Amino acid sequence: ALALFELHEGASQEAIRRRWRELALQHHPDRGGNAKTFIRIRWAWQCLRG
């Protein structure tokens, strides 16, 4: 999940949240993004925040 977000081990929750928002806006299907990529990003977000 960290590799998908392109973050290093020990990244802060704030950095993870910021990166999630960037990627979600970029890849959201309603904004012209790829649905499969968005699903992978959402999975990574759930793993990292959990």
Side-chain angles (χ1 to χ4, degrees):
L2 284 172
L4 186 62
F5 275 27
E6 299 174 352
L7 295 172
H8 58 82
E9 186 71 32
S12 70
Q13 287 296 315
E14 179 63 23
I16 292 169
R17 188 191 66 76
R18 241 182 290 127
R19 187 65 178 146
W20 151 250
R21 181 150 172 78
E22 290 171 5
L23 291 172
L25 290 173
Q26 181 180 355
H27 295 286
H28 196 284
D30 289 347
R31 297 179 143 239
N34 183 304
K36 289 183 181 185
T37 302
F38 184 74
I39 290 169
R40 290 183 67 216
I41 292 167
R42 194 176 64 203
W43 166 83
W45 166 245
Q46 290 173 346
C47 289
L48 292 172
R49 74 178 185 156

